[in-house]
Amino acid sequence: MQKNDIIELKIEDMGVDGEGIGKYDGMTFFVKDAVLGDEIEARITKMKKNYGYARVEQILSPSKFRVTPQCELHRRCGGCQIQALDYEKQLEFKQNKVRGNLIRIGGFAPELIDRIMLPVVGMKEPYRYRNKAQFPIGADKDGNPVAGFYAARTHSIIPVNDCKLGVEENQIILNEVLSYMKECHVASYDENTGKGLVRHVLIRYGFSTKELMVCVIINGNSLPKVEKLIDRLTAIEGMKSISINQNTKKTNVILGDVTKCIWGDPYITDMIHLRDTKDFSLTDTAVAYHISPQSFYQVNPVQTEKLYSLALDYAGLTGKETVWDVYCGIGTISLFLAQKAGKVYGVEIVPQAIEDAKNNAALNGINNAEFFVGKAEEVLPREYEKNGVYADVIVVDPPRKGCDEVLLNTILKMKPERVVYVSCDSATLARDLKVLCAADYELVRVSTTDMFPQGVHVETVVLLSKVK
Ligand code: SAH
């Protein structure tokens, strides 16, 4: 077998990145865009010693789990890896991924996992859930401004004003920005030459307040006839904040350092409601957040409410506890916890996020939350060893690489009654749980929430309890 050979494959499994997996002549092949259950003709694109990669040439018999994706461009865009897979099956794939990692990497018994793992929490409407979109602006072959994404290995933009994960307002806003650019002869930025002005349009939408924010990222410090752009955008219902961000560097980092508000407030407000974890119905408890163009904010607000409500539920607070929220970001979880705890401490490495966390605490009249800037693996050991801080409950929500070992050891020394681990990568979660459960903790509950329908990532929240 060699590159370009055509083979027939039955797709019998799915890899962690959503690719289809089939066997031919004892060899395993990974096939992008093939769906579990498909029978396909595939062209080999790369051979390794014991496995290979192939691409779909023709679908001989489509899987019964194959559905028509809402976005025609999903294969070329690459943002949604499993849009062609039935949503129920997507959820099953994610649940199995977490279960598999806990067993394989974490070393937990399958019977234990099956007993304590709750059904995956999916979405009723698994499209149009994102509250944030960032569209690159470029030019079509006639030089007209377009919004879209770069086709693989080229610098030509494939126009797409309407990503099906984003809100419908995105399209309206992009059309106004592009019309303004045409009317006022404002050039799109060109990655190759570094010339031109408009690089990206960032849009944020508050799902519960219906407030809209637009930030235009430019290669310069001002837009010509900017009042024409403002007139167009302010005619859109819900517009609350318009700003310009300056990014004159040759980089693929989207935002530059300087943001100027040119109309309205420099932020929008959104609310995150606590949900009843029995049926995820909304409760009266909510926390308000100010979100600026640069702020980190979870992109799927509906699922964030469910995930954080589970985390709060697992924390088991009665009003008296001292809680540490480690890797706290802008304090989303901390401020939720603060309503039910005696005292909450948050730790986060990004200073601006801690500024946001403090402002959001004040905005909600929360005065039992205190925040530290620094590395979790430095702040927590220092506060514990020097100042003797204490925790009834520790919540961690680390980035994909998981918790630092020093942090895990500090948790073991501090001996909180409960540890709630919120994770965006179940492989590192499993690795860290193995450390905690080899010592004084036992795994009590596991729950997965689908924050990214059509993509392959999944969030997990786990409760660990101190063994008496
Ligand atoms: N709980 C937050 C999101 C957490 S995402 C929320 O609800 O909004 C993970 C966070 O960990 C990010 O904000 C990132 O900046 C922070 N981080 C990454 N490495 C860190 C470290 N070593 N110490 C502390 N925070 C860190």
Side-chain angles (χ1 to χ4, degrees):
M1 271 180 287
Q2 56 186 19
K3 190 174 164 178
N4 282 326
D5 280 0
I6 302 278
I7 54 176
E8 273 186 27
L9 288 174
K10 179 154 173 52
I11 302 302
E12 283 169 335
D13 203 356
M14 280 175 77
V16 286
D17 295 320
E19 70 279 24
I21 299 177
K23 282 220 161 81
Y24 186 85
D25 212 6
M27 290 271 273
T28 301
F29 284 91
F30 297 93
V31 194
K32 191 175 157 298
D33 302 319
V35 166
L36 183 67
D38 278 345
E39 287 176 38
I40 60 166
E41 202 172 75
R43 182 182 293 274
I44 298 178
T45 52
K46 203 183 213 172
M47 282 302 297
K48 298 275 187 184
K49 206 163 151 225
N50 302 315
Y51 62 93
Y53 297 90
R55 78 163 180 256
V56 181
E57 278 293 296
Q58 200 190 334
I59 297 173
L60 301 172
S61 164
S63 162
K64 63 173 192 251
F65 308 122
R66 190 172 260 286
V67 293
T68 308
Q70 284 200 10
C71 175
E72 293 159 8
L73 296 167
H74 79 283
R75 282 178 69 168
R76 288 169 82 188
C77 163
C80 297
Q81 300 85 356
I82 51 175
Q83 228 186 80
L85 182 67
D86 175 69
Y87 187 58
E88 284 306 311
K89 211 66 192 169
Q90 289 187 20
L91 293 174
E92 194 183 308
F93 161 72
K94 293 182 184 190
Q95 181 86 338
N96 284 339
K97 179 154 118 175
V98 174
R99 178 183 182 274
N101 281 336
L102 291 173
I103 294 167
R104 245 190 357 266
I105 303 171
F108 294 100
E111 305 74 53
L112 170 72
I113 301 301
D114 292 337
R115 183 155 47 79
I116 63 174
M117 194 165 177
L118 300 179
V120 53
V121 181
M123 293 195 85
K124 274 206 196 85
E125 289 291 332
Y127 280 98
R128 302 222 180 268
Y129 59 80
R130 285 185 64 101
N131 57 13
K132 174 183 166 187
Q134 306 180 103
F135 290 90
I137 304 295
D140 65 13
K141 53 186 187 326
D142 304 320
N144 294 315
V146 286
F149 60 87
Y150 290 104
R153 294 178 297 279
T154 74
H155 286 282
S156 57
I157 283 207
I158 297 176
V160 47
N161 285 7
D162 187 27
C163 166
K164 299 292 190 290
L165 301 190
V167 294
E168 273 156 0
E169 285 78 356
N170 291 343
Q171 205 174 349
I172 301 168
I173 291 169
L174 286 176
N175 286 339
E176 292 302 339
V177 174
L178 296 174
S179 301
Y180 150 78
M181 288 175 68
K182 273 187 227 153
E183 183 191 344
C184 299
H185 306 286
V186 181
S188 313
Y189 177 70
D190 181 331
E191 277 202 328
N192 289 324
T193 61
K195 295 213 170 75
L197 201 53
V198 180
R199 299 175 71 129
H200 276 88
V201 175
L202 162 71
I203 302 168
R204 297 187 109 141
Y205 176 72
F207 268 61
S208 61
T209 56
K210 303 197 171 14
E211 295 187 5
L212 278 167
M213 160 184 289
V214 177
C215 177
V216 183
I217 296 108
I218 58 172
N219 175 39
N221 49 32
S222 64
L223 282 170
K225 299 191 189 143
V226 71
E227 60 295 342
K228 297 227 179 212
L229 176 66
I230 294 174
D231 284 348
R232 285 176 177 274
L233 293 178
T234 50
I236 300 170
E237 201 184 325
M239 191 58 60
K240 278 280 173 330
S241 166
I242 306 174
S243 54
I244 284 177
N245 174 272
Q246 301 171 11
N247 186 355
T248 51
K249 293 194 188 127
K250 266 204 149 186
T251 162
N252 48 20
V253 175
I254 295 176
L255 285 174
D257 297 333
V258 181
T259 307
K260 280 192 302 203
C261 179
I262 56 171
W263 183 88
D265 294 325
Y267 55 81
I268 55 169
T269 306
D270 198 24
M271 312 282 287
I272 295 192
H273 293 82
L274 185 67
R275 289 178 184 245
D276 184 330
T277 51
K278 278 198 280 305
D279 56 4
F280 294 113
S281 55
L282 292 170
T283 70
D284 291 338
T285 308
V287 178
Y289 295 88
H290 280 175
I291 310 156
S292 55
Q294 303 93 326
S295 300
F296 172 85
Y297 190 63
Q298 295 283 2
V299 297
N300 183 335
V302 171
Q303 294 299 89
T304 297
E305 290 186 342
K306 297 177 185 171
L307 179 74
Y308 289 179
S309 298
L310 284 166
L312 184 60
D313 193 13
Y314 288 9
L317 303 177
T318 62
K320 293 193 284 285
E321 293 80 359
T322 298
V323 186
W324 278 78
D325 178 18
V326 184
Y327 307 94
C328 71
I330 59 165
T332 323
I333 300 178
S334 322
L335 300 184
F336 250 72
L337 294 163
Q339 319 211 21
K340 307 262 158 113
K343 177 91 195 188
V344 176
Y345 297 95
V347 187
E348 160 64 42
I349 199 168
V350 176
Q352 180 58 45
I354 290 294
E355 278 309 303
D356 287 345
K358 287 179 181 166
N359 291 336
N360 288 326
L363 177 69
N364 291 282
I366 291 172
N367 47 28
N368 59 339
E370 203 175 304
F371 295 95
F372 295 86
V373 181
K375 288 187 180 166
E377 60 274 20
E378 291 173 8
V379 173
L380 202 62
R382 182 192 70 209
E383 292 302 310
Y384 174 65
E385 271 144 35
K386 288 226 179 92
N387 301 326
V389 294
Y390 160 89
D392 295 295
V393 180
I394 296 182
V395 178
V396 295
D397 182 8
R400 299 186 65 186
K401 68 173 196 265
C403 293
D404 191 278
E405 226 179 297
V406 176
L407 177 73
L408 293 176
N409 289 330
T410 309
I411 294 175
L412 291 174
K413 283 186 208 152
M414 287 174 74
K415 299 189 187 353
E417 280 303 314
R418 288 177 291 287
V419 176
V420 179
Y421 195 135
V422 182
S423 157
C424 54
D425 185 331
S426 55
T428 56
L429 167 72
R431 178 200 69 198
D432 293 347
L433 293 182
K434 191 172 183 177
V435 174
L436 295 171
C437 293
D440 300 333
Y441 287 85
E442 67 176 347
L443 191 55
V444 181
R445 259 184 276 177
V446 178
S447 170
T448 52
T449 300
D450 187 19
M451 295 277 260
F452 307 102
Q454 322 305 338
V456 292
H457 293 300
V458 56
E459 294 268 333
T460 307
V461 52
V462 156
L463 170 63
L464 298 172
S465 195
K466 194 169 78 186
V467 183
K468 293 282 161 354

